[in-house]
Amino acid sequence: MEDMNETVETVPASVNITFTELIYGTLFKPSETFRKVALAKPVFKCFLVFSGVILLNMLTGIILAPHSLAKGGLPANLAEVIGDILPFLAIIGAVFAYLNWVVLAGLFSLFAEFFTGQGSALGIFSVMGLVELPRLATLPLQVIGAVSGKPFLASFFSILAGFIYFIWWAVLIVIGIREAHSLTTGRAVAVVAAPVFLIALALIVISIAGLGLMMPLLNVLNAGGIM
């Protein structure tokens, strides 16, 4: 009888999460919320939340950037040109945001399995769709900096917003991986760090290999008096 009850409790369809629970829970009760999200896998709802955050961030940037550029002392014609291309840059940024979501979810799911994680790819994919929510909390700082009219304050609040977002985002990712894959906090940190370490190592190896390829060519050019 106990086994039957446990089976019923772990059926994803039995878990229903509202948008309010997703947003509020991610920001203030991430452990409990991510555990439910990993079980229910509300991919479409997480997609809508992610899209809403990206859209608000895009609109804020498009609206505030011309104001900041004008106050920053740029020539009016240059500020106008930059303002004209901002929507296109925002669209490109949004596309990369979606690609980043898919790639990071795949990488973290793969490395979580290496660290004996027991979750699913859709579970961590759903969770990763929510970790961008701290952007909403930092938007007021960007607005304050932009309307201050002072380049120093605009830069200060922009950097502060970016710092707060990154720390909050990183903490949410660790919690999300821990809850989605039933890992310890230490192993969740290792899952996050592993891709970063491998990418950094790959860049170092590529750089060394590139220098190794360039050195003979540079020696030949130097010997021939070309350089």
Side-chain angles (χ1 to χ4, degrees):
M1 182 65 69
E2 291 181 359
D3 292 339
M4 292 177 62
N5 290 335
E6 289 179 1
T7 302
V8 172
E9 290 175 359
T10 56
V11 175
S14 65
V15 180
N16 183 29
I17 308 178
T18 65
F19 282 106
T20 302
E21 290 176 315
L22 286 176
I23 296 172
Y24 177 84
T26 297
L27 295 176
F28 302 107
K29 295 181 179 180
S31 295
E32 177 184 343
T33 302
F34 288 159
R35 197 177 306 123
K36 291 180 179 179
V37 168
L39 180 64
K41 305 178 185 66
V43 175
F44 183 66
K45 287 184 178 180
C46 293
F47 171 80
L48 292 179
V49 171
F50 183 89
S51 299
V53 173
I54 296 301
L55 180 60
L56 283 175
N57 192 61
M58 284 175 52
L59 292 177
T60 302
I62 292 173
I63 294 171
L64 295 181
H67 183 79
S68 299
L69 292 172
K71 296 293 183 180
L74 284 178
N77 56 347
L78 180 58
E80 183 179 353
V81 170
I82 295 176
D84 290 338
I85 65 174
L86 273 177
F88 301 100
L89 295 177
I91 293 173
I92 294 173
V95 171
F96 275 102
Y98 283 103
L99 291 176
N100 184 63
W101 178 15
V102 175
V103 171
L104 284 183
L107 283 175
F108 291 150
S109 179
L110 174 64
F111 281 96
E113 288 197 36
F114 286 140
F115 287 94
T116 68
Q118 300 176 0
S120 66
L122 277 182
I124 192 62
F125 182 76
S126 300
V127 167
M128 289 295 297
L130 301 173
V131 298
E132 290 292 327
L133 277 169
R135 284 189 185 275
L136 298 181
T138 61
L139 287 181
L141 292 176
Q142 298 182 38
V143 173
I144 293 173
V147 301
S148 66
K150 297 181 179 180
F152 170 76
L153 287 179
S155 299
F156 171 77
F157 281 110
S158 178
I159 294 172
L160 179 62
F163 177 76
I164 293 174
Y165 161 74
F166 177 77
I167 297 299
W168 203 342
W169 174 83
V171 170
L172 287 180
I173 282 186
V174 171
I175 295 174
I177 292 173
R178 183 189 68 191
E179 300 301 331
H181 287 280
S182 302
L183 294 170
T184 63
T185 301
R187 290 191 176 188
V189 171
V191 169
V192 176
V196 176
F197 173 77
L198 290 178
I199 291 172
L201 181 62
L203 290 175
I204 292 173
V205 171
I206 291 172
S207 299
I208 294 174
L211 288 174
L213 291 172
M214 290 296 296
M215 287 304 296
L217 177 60
L218 292 176
N219 291 334
V220 170
L221 293 176
N222 286 329
I226 299 177
M227 293 184 64

